[in-house]
Amino acid sequence: MHKQGFTQAGLNLIQQALSIYDSDLRLAVSNRRFAEMFDLPQALYTEGARFDDTIRHLVDCGEYGQVDDVDAFVAARVEQARAFEAHYMERTRANGRTISVEGAPLPQGGWVTVYTDITSVKRHEALLRTRSELLSEEVLRRSEELSATNRQLAATNAALEEAQRELREIEARTRLTTEMMPAHIARVDARGVYTFSNRRLSSVMPGRPSEIAGLHISEALGPAHAKVAPHLDRALNGEQSIFEFTDDGSQRRIRAVFTPDPVEPGVYILSHDVTEETQARAALQQTRRREMAAQLISGLAHDFSNLLTIILGMQSKLRRMVPPDAAPLVTGTLQAARRGGDLLNRIADITSHRAWRPGPVSLGGFLSDLATLARPSLPGSLRLEVRAEAEGCYQLDAGMLQDAALNLVLNAADACGAQGRIDVVFRAVGDTWLELVVTDTGPGFSPQALAHGLDPFFTTKGSDGSGLGLAMVYDMAKLAGGDVRLANDARGARVTLRLPLRKAAAQARSDLVLLVEDSTDLRAQLRDMLTGLGYAVAEACSVDEACALAGGLPVDLVLSDITLEGEAPGTDLPARLPHLPVRLMTALPGSDPLYRRAQAQGPVLRKPFSPEALAAFLTPESA
């Protein structure tokens, strides 16, 4: 309101009368001189006054002289106003004074009119005519025409300046709109030189310049120009091209649309980063493939499992019936059938429901835990080195990634043999990918392994390998929207596990819970609950495995089921890990002796339970 008051005060100070009517023919703005010049009542110079009411009032006051049909006169003026065009005119009013009327339409609709009293100018012209005996009639007439033309020219210039201002505002709004778009919008001419760009190329393709107007497209894009050049040629020849390519510098996936300019030779360019979309699409495709494979395999596995059961039973019976020299054949058949059963279990693992459930993971802590888990399984003369070249926390599924990393380390150990070196490195590739690279000093991949190493059931270990290890690593990477790459370098083999880079806030809680549960499905659910509560999680299936992990990891708390793999129940853990708080859980009934034994040692969490109940159970107050 303060600004509006200043504006109105300024309008009241000018000598001309001014009025602005909107597209509905209602008064939007006027100054005091407008009301004074035409002697208008307050209702007609108040915002919202109707144009036709003002014309009717002026007719009634004799402003337009004698008018026979007032309604027709008012209607004609209203029609002229609806089709308003810029104009300049001069007229003598009924009171004898002469005014100039200068009008111009507004881009938003409506018009502005400025009324100037030029009576004194006209009198001066008349006086000049009567007193100048030396000037010819022709010179006087020319002078009057020139004066009127100058006034009309001034009015036209004002209208042009206003139009120019509007065009500048439209251009500024258009540029601001393009700058706010999360995409690169540009145009190149027939030579491939940028004539327009919204300065977003550097955000879509990091490392490229922002100001590229006047540059050739090859200068702006650098090595990526070779990938887009064929599509640019097609667009210059009049054919729209929509395509995707990977920018080698940033490893981002770019989708571009090249559209021919229909007016003059050139191409309009729209390009944006679809890296995350591509990663999500790859993850979704892998999930659908797994679902289809699970549906196909589950039925086959069920029938084949029944056949193996029949074979095992018949061979066991046959071993008691055949002569001793046939026993090795029966034993071999039994071993082959059992291997088939193991293979079915592995197939079930790779096709069972798996989902990438990312949470905050510190790379340094992850690698430290990985080294602790892997080193006991490696020969003493085989060195394992781990390091994180990328710092901070990232969104990763710690459990699935740990399984994959352990698989790669153990495969590398098999390749190295009794001695050598394995390096595990985490590194970031721009702000697009996070890579886990495992290298070894073994003999490297054979050409056949490079071509088929990720295929299910491909193995170079003969009967000792299932051929599913690398396939499961590949499956995990695809579920996350990433990829796996096999290669050889100067030292040996190199496996690169590439995952989408998603930075995360630091973990709110640093406590490490050792989860001891022998059911794989239930352990996965409990791990999700614990990570959702902010805990880091290590997993074990038995009391012996839990004690081994507790000896090498900085465990803060143990959560264990009562019934576990092996002979020792979970109730043995408090005595075997006296330095750690042990919390027990079970689905056993209250009458079971193991349940009563656990209850004597402290509170017991009954299954099933909610995340809220688990959180309350793990707090120190519940002990």
Side-chain angles (χ1 to χ4, degrees):
M1 293 297 293
H2 185 62
K3 182 177 180 181
Q4 184 178 0
F6 271 109
T7 303
Q8 187 64 51
L11 293 176
N12 290 337
L13 289 174
I14 65 176
Q15 295 302 309
Q16 288 93 348
L18 179 141
S19 66
I20 300 177
Y21 285 87
D22 61 21
S23 58
D24 294 328
L25 306 188
R26 292 184 177 273
L27 185 65
V29 177
S30 68
N31 63 352
R32 185 183 297 117
R33 183 68 177 141
F34 177 64
E36 293 172 351
M37 178 177 285
F38 298 105
D39 193 22
L40 298 175
Q42 183 175 356
L44 295 181
Y45 63 82
T46 301
E47 182 179 349
R50 293 163 54 97
F51 175 73
D52 57 345
D53 291 343
T54 303
I55 296 297
R56 189 177 297 278
H57 171 78
L58 294 177
V59 171
D60 293 342
C61 293
E63 178 70 21
Y64 300 103
Q66 181 65 34
V67 176
D68 296 329
D69 189 344
V70 176
D71 291 338
F73 183 87
V74 172
R77 288 304 178 98
V78 169
E79 287 302 316
Q80 291 176 3
R82 294 191 185 279
F84 199 91
E85 295 181 356
H87 66 275
Y88 175 85
M89 60 175 290
E90 297 176 0
R91 69 179 177 87
T92 301
R93 303 177 60 198
N95 60 8
R97 302 193 68 82
T98 303
I99 61 173
S100 66
V101 182
E102 176 187 343
L106 298 174
Q108 301 88 347
W111 71 93
V112 58
T113 308
V114 177
Y115 309 88
T116 306
D117 191 327
I118 58 173
T119 304
S120 60
V121 176
K122 287 293 186 180
R123 287 175 180 172
H124 179 73
E125 291 174 351
L127 182 63
L128 182 64
R129 174 180 289 277
T130 57
R131 293 186 178 182
S132 298
E133 297 177 357
L134 299 178
L135 295 177
S136 67
E137 182 68 23
E138 181 65 18
V139 173
L140 288 174
R141 188 177 65 79
R142 294 287 185 179
S143 297
E144 291 175 358
E145 289 177 356
L146 180 61
S147 179
T149 301
N150 286 339
R151 289 193 294 271
Q152 188 169 0
L153 181 61
T156 302
N157 286 339
L160 288 175
E161 289 176 359
E162 177 63 19
Q164 188 178 34
R165 184 188 66 80
E166 288 289 337
L167 286 174
R168 285 196 297 267
E169 288 185 0
I170 292 171
E171 181 183 4
R173 285 195 297 269
T174 302
R175 177 165 285 280
L176 178 61
T177 300
T178 60
E179 293 293 343
M180 296 300 292
M181 294 288 289
H184 178 227
I185 301 173
R187 181 190 180 277
V188 296
D189 60 18
R191 300 170 299 161
V193 175
Y194 284 100
T195 59
F196 172 81
S197 171
N198 66 344
R199 296 181 294 185
R200 297 282 290 180
L201 178 62
S202 58
S203 63
V204 174
M205 300 174 66
R208 300 332 193 263
S210 297
E211 300 288 348
I212 60 175
L215 291 181
H216 192 272
I217 189 171
S218 60
E219 297 179 74
L221 298 186
H225 175 253
K227 297 183 178 182
V228 307
H231 302 279
L232 179 62
D233 292 339
R234 287 171 54 190
L236 287 172
N237 290 325
E239 182 181 354
Q240 186 184 58
S241 182
I242 303 174
F243 62 98
E244 291 185 8
F245 67 96
T246 299
D247 176 32
D248 294 333
S250 64
Q251 290 298 307
R252 292 190 176 184
R253 189 70 176 170
I254 309 299
R255 180 179 297 144
V257 182
F258 286 1
T259 303
D261 188 335
V263 179
E264 56 182 309
V267 174
Y268 289 102
I269 298 174
L270 172 66
S271 56
H272 57 287
D273 183 358
V274 293
T275 304
E276 292 190 12
E277 176 189 333
T278 304
Q279 293 167 349
R281 190 167 61 233
L284 180 61
Q285 288 174 347
Q286 183 66 10
T287 301
R288 288 178 175 172
R289 289 193 196 103
R290 298 183 86 260
E291 291 174 351
M292 292 177 63
Q295 293 174 358
L296 177 64
I297 291 173
S298 61
L300 296 175
H302 178 268
D303 294 341
F304 189 49
S305 179
N306 289 338
L307 290 174
L308 288 177
T309 302
I310 295 172
I311 292 172
L312 287 171
M314 294 179 67
Q315 288 296 314
S316 297
K317 184 176 180 180
L318 184 62
R319 184 166 55 183
R320 296 192 299 268
M321 300 171 59
V322 299
D325 57 346
L329 296 176
V330 175
T331 301
T333 304
L334 288 171
Q335 290 175 347
R338 291 192 182 99
R339 280 182 53 80
D342 293 339
L343 183 60
L344 280 179
N345 291 333
R346 288 178 176 270
I347 293 174
D349 289 339
I350 200 171
T351 59
S352 61
H353 177 72
R354 302 172 77 199
W356 179 258
R357 297 184 177 90
V361 174
S362 169
L363 300 187
F366 176 86
L367 289 178
S368 177
D369 294 346
L370 176 66
T372 301
L373 292 171
R375 283 196 175 106
S377 303
L378 303 179
S381 57
L382 184 61
R383 291 174 54 196
L384 174 64
E385 299 291 337
V386 298
R387 69 180 186 277
E389 295 179 358
E391 298 180 352
C393 254
Y394 297 85
Q395 290 287 348
L396 299 167
D397 188 322
M400 291 183 69
L401 184 58
Q402 188 180 83
D403 292 343
L406 280 173
N407 193 314
L408 296 178
V409 169
L410 295 178
N411 279 352
D414 290 341
C416 289
Q419 58 184 2
R421 173 171 170 165
I422 302 172
D423 287 280
V424 182
V425 181
F426 254 126
R427 67 188 183 195
V429 180
D431 58 356
T432 307
W433 299 103
L434 188 66
E435 289 185 343
L436 177 69
V437 183
V438 179
T439 57
D440 63 58
T441 56
F445 291 108
S446 66
Q448 188 181 16
L450 287 174
H452 302 287
L454 300 177
D455 296 345
F457 308 115
F458 176 85
T459 180
T460 58
K461 300 178 183 178
S463 60
D464 294 331
S466 66
L468 292 176
L470 281 178
M472 294 190 71
V473 173
Y474 176 80
D475 176 62
M476 183 277 296
K478 285 298 183 181
L479 284 174
D483 199 5
V484 178
R485 300 180 179 183
L486 308 182
N488 290 323
D489 56 23
R491 296 193 316 157
R494 180 175 73 251
V495 181
T496 302
L497 178 57
R498 172 172 283 193
L499 302 170
L501 189 152
R502 303 284 187 272
K503 290 188 176 181
Q507 289 174 276
R509 187 191 299 270
S510 60
D511 293 351
L512 175 61
V513 173
L514 176 56
L515 173 62
V516 191
E517 170 63 59
D518 59 349
S519 170
T520 303
D521 293 339
L522 186 54
R523 191 166 63 246
Q525 294 177 11
L526 292 173
R527 179 185 67 205
D528 291 343
M529 282 191 187
L530 290 168
T531 55
L533 295 173
Y535 291 100
V537 181
E539 302 174 20
C541 299
S542 66
V543 170
D544 292 339
E545 186 180 1
C547 292
L549 289 176
L553 296 176
V555 175
D556 297 292
L557 179 69
V558 179
L559 175 65
S560 174
D561 195 5
I562 294 177
T563 56
L564 300 169
E565 288 183 2
E567 297 180 357
T571 50
D572 287 0
L573 283 172
R576 295 182 61 173
L577 300 174
H579 61 292
L580 292 174
V582 178
R583 305 297 172 83
L584 298 175
M585 56 185 175
T586 188
L588 294 174
S591 59
D592 191 282
L594 271 179
Y595 180 86
R596 292 199 298 269
R597 178 181 171 186
Q599 201 169 32
Q601 296 174 330
V604 179
L605 182 62
R606 295 296 300 271
K607 296 178 181 178
F609 48 79
S610 65
E612 293 76 16
L614 178 61
F617 181 67
L618 296 181
T619 56
E621 293 77 8
S622 67

